[in-house]
Amino acid sequence: METQAQTATRGRRKIRVGKVISNKMQKSIVVAIERKVPHPIYKKYFRVTSTLMAHDEKREAGVGDLVRVMETRPISKRKRWRLGEIVQKAK
């Protein structure tokens, strides 16, 4: 019962899926999020990539892995996301 009340006040957390492009830091990864955006006039879709830093407590994500990250409280100056799960390991 208590967890439902917390989620109602806190709201839904954002979840993004992206590819790990760096894991050289301790307990941190850099994830590239790619999305398709239409051109405002010509309506052709093009890819826009944004990067974010996520907290990886167990250091299990490697470069090239497809991961799911979720929004969390600020952990450091640039980290506001944490690793949710590894969707697909890199080959």
Side-chain angles (χ1 to χ4, degrees):
M1 183 75 180
E2 195 172 310
T3 56
Q4 290 177 347
Q6 287 177 346
T7 354
T9 58
R10 187 168 55 195
R12 304 288 292 173
R13 292 181 180 205
K14 294 177 188 170
I15 296 174
R16 302 283 183 262
V17 177
K19 189 175 280 192
V20 178
I21 54 175
S22 173
N23 65 346
K24 294 183 178 183
M25 296 164 282
Q26 294 178 8
K27 297 186 179 183
S28 297
I29 55 175
V30 179
V31 181
I33 309 293
E34 194 173 88
R35 59 194 178 97
K36 291 188 175 181
V37 179
H39 188 276
I41 297 170
Y42 303 116
K43 307 303 181 205
K44 178 182 178 179
Y45 282 85
F46 55 95
R47 291 182 294 196
V48 176
T49 305
S50 57
T51 60
L52 52 90
M53 287 180 64
H55 186 67
D56 183 8
E57 183 68 38
K58 299 174 188 166
R59 299 193 61 159
E60 51 193 11
V63 176
D65 292 351
L66 198 65
V67 295
R68 183 171 287 127
V69 291
M70 64 183 348
E71 197 176 31
T72 186
R73 62 180 176 80
I75 298 168
S76 70
K77 181 180 176 180
R78 292 182 57 208
K79 283 200 298 189
R80 272 88 172 118
W81 298 81
R82 73 166 181 248
L83 178 68
E85 67 170 317
I86 298 175
V87 178
Q88 185 180 27
K89 291 294 277 185
K91 295 180 182 175

